[in-house]
Amino acid sequence: MLAIVFLLWMGSGCDAHSGKEDKGSASSQKGEASEVIRIGYQKYGTLNMLKARGDLEKRLKKLGYTVQWSLFPGGPQLLEAMNAGSLDFGHTGEAPPVFAQAAGTPLLYVATTPPNPAAEAILVPKNSPIRTIADLKGKKVALNKGSNVHYLLVQALEKAGLKLSDIQPVYLPPADARAAFEQGSVDAWVIWDPFYAAAEQGGKARVIADGQGLAANREFFFASRSFAEKHADVVNIILEELKKVDRWASNDPKGVAAFLAPELGIDEQALETAAKRRTYNIEPVTDEVVAQQQQIADQFFQLGLLPKKIDVKEAVWREGK
């Protein structure tokens, strides 16, 4: 029964065409014969910055490739599109790939970032009587199902002696969750940057906990298995360009904010806040990182949220193997 429910949930997310396709970002001119690399991205992250700069398109064009970018509201929706065969490369946080692997998505972890626990948080309205995680008992809490913040919420509740069944989860993507939060339809909101920073900036939200001591909040980069096997060179080029963007972003948070504000429609000050508390670097997926992901997978399975046990290391890219 759990498996059926899970598959129904995955199907209710983003199908093969529900990512917002940005056809104008393809780098080839009409008439050129080229192979299209399909990349999924979210509103914030290194891939978003790479898209905005346009450097990847320039480099891949010389090799006969064009890039098609598709925007997704969250990691679960992005990986569902990969499962449907309509994405070659993308990024999410820690929890989405665990659910996706259990659903049979042919993904491979190809890189990660350092932990970034301060960039996700549990928010309540500024004047809310809720002061601690324990106060969430019986309350409505908005979150994106299967995302990083799902794991943060599970961890925070467990530390406070509560279970998911002690609250009323309201599963909504970020834009809908923000509207519900601001309208008072939910009591709390679990969210990541830059939406977190924007909510803080608006002065209507108060933090009762962030990820520190609860969740590492890493960003992961994925390729579909078939794409990685056929185009290891392109995967490495994407990772090289991501490293370049990271070096720039880590040294210029104000510049990052100014650069992304028109792209994202988010206030520069909020984006600067998000950029300053973000950690940067593109790193390999080590055995230690795999062990952390396995812990997340095992916990979701024990909670009955994952339909079957998975072995995370089976989904890690080993170039040439």
Side-chain angles (χ1 to χ4, degrees):
M1 182 63 183
L2 279 174
I4 294 173
V5 172
F6 175 77
L7 290 173
L8 285 173
W9 163 66
M10 288 294 284
S12 69
C14 178
D15 64 23
H17 303 288
S18 58
K20 182 181 177 184
E21 181 182 321
D22 182 356
K23 295 181 180 178
S25 63
S27 61
S28 69
Q29 299 174 355
K30 289 183 178 179
E32 287 185 349
S34 60
E35 185 166 350
V36 177
I37 309 301
R38 303 163 302 170
I39 301 179
Y41 72 105
Q42 299 178 57
K43 263 207 166 185
Y44 190 68
T46 312
L47 267 179
N48 184 282
M49 290 183 266
L50 181 61
K51 174 188 178 293
R53 285 170 65 93
D55 295 337
L56 179 64
E57 287 92 333
K58 294 174 185 176
R59 185 169 175 186
L60 289 179
K61 182 178 180 180
K62 297 175 182 178
L63 301 176
Y65 297 100
T66 64
V67 180
Q68 176 183 295
W69 298 89
S70 294
L71 175 62
F72 292 85
Q77 294 89 343
L78 187 153
L79 290 179
E80 171 61 12
M82 185 172 285
N83 191 35
S86 53
L87 281 184
D88 302 308
F89 196 93
H91 68 130
T92 77
E94 297 157 318
V98 167
F99 287 98
Q101 187 179 350
T105 302
L107 62 83
L108 289 175
Y109 293 77
V110 299
T112 187
T113 66
N116 195 22
E120 60 178 1
I122 302 173
L123 309 178
V124 296
K126 187 176 182 180
N127 298 321
S128 171
I130 297 172
R131 296 289 168 181
T132 68
I133 298 299
D135 294 335
L136 292 177
K137 187 172 183 178
K139 304 298 185 183
K140 292 181 179 180
V141 182
L143 68 150
N144 194 43
K145 189 172 187 178
S147 67
N148 258 28
V149 294
H150 200 156
Y151 183 64
L152 168 61
L153 179 61
V154 166
Q155 290 288 88
L157 290 172
E158 185 176 275
K159 187 175 181 179
L162 299 177
K163 301 176 182 178
L164 270 175
S165 57
D166 291 319
I167 66 165
Q168 299 179 56
V170 180
Y171 297 118
L172 296 169
D176 294 338
R178 179 171 185 173
F181 181 76
E182 293 179 346
Q183 292 165 9
S185 301
V186 296
D187 302 294
W189 181 24
V190 198
I191 190 60
W192 61 87
D193 272 332
F195 307 103
Y196 163 27
E200 279 186 308
Q201 184 67 28
K204 297 179 180 179
R206 174 166 45 84
V207 178
I208 59 170
D210 63 18
Q212 297 183 82
L214 295 170
N217 190 31
R218 293 177 183 271
E219 181 181 11
F220 285 99
F221 300 93
F222 302 93
S224 69
R225 188 174 292 273
S226 61
F227 181 77
E229 290 172 351
K230 295 176 184 176
H231 300 288
D233 56 335
V234 177
V235 172
N236 283 317
I237 287 172
I238 296 172
L239 296 180
E240 288 169 10
E241 293 301 320
L242 285 169
K243 289 178 183 178
K244 293 177 185 177
V245 170
D246 256 12
R247 285 195 292 270
W248 162 69
S250 64
N251 293 320
D252 189 9
K254 187 178 287 290
V256 169
F259 189 69
L260 287 181
E263 173 93 1
L264 303 182
I266 294 176
D267 181 79
E268 276 190 37
Q269 191 171 344
L271 284 171
E272 186 176 348
T273 297
K276 284 181 177 177
R277 66 180 165 216
R278 178 182 169 84
T279 53
Y280 295 93
N281 200 17
I282 305 299
E283 301 178 341
V285 182
T286 63
D287 290 342
E288 179 183 359
V289 173
V290 171
Q292 292 171 358
Q293 282 296 99
Q294 189 65 53
Q295 181 179 341
I296 293 172
D298 292 345
Q299 185 165 357
F300 277 130
F301 177 72
Q302 289 164 10
L303 290 170
L305 297 172
L306 210 63
K308 66 178 183 180
K309 295 196 74 170
I310 63 168
D311 187 352
V312 173
K313 67 176 180 291
E314 292 180 351
V316 177
W317 186 47
R318 307 295 184 191
E319 188 177 357
K321 295 184 180 179

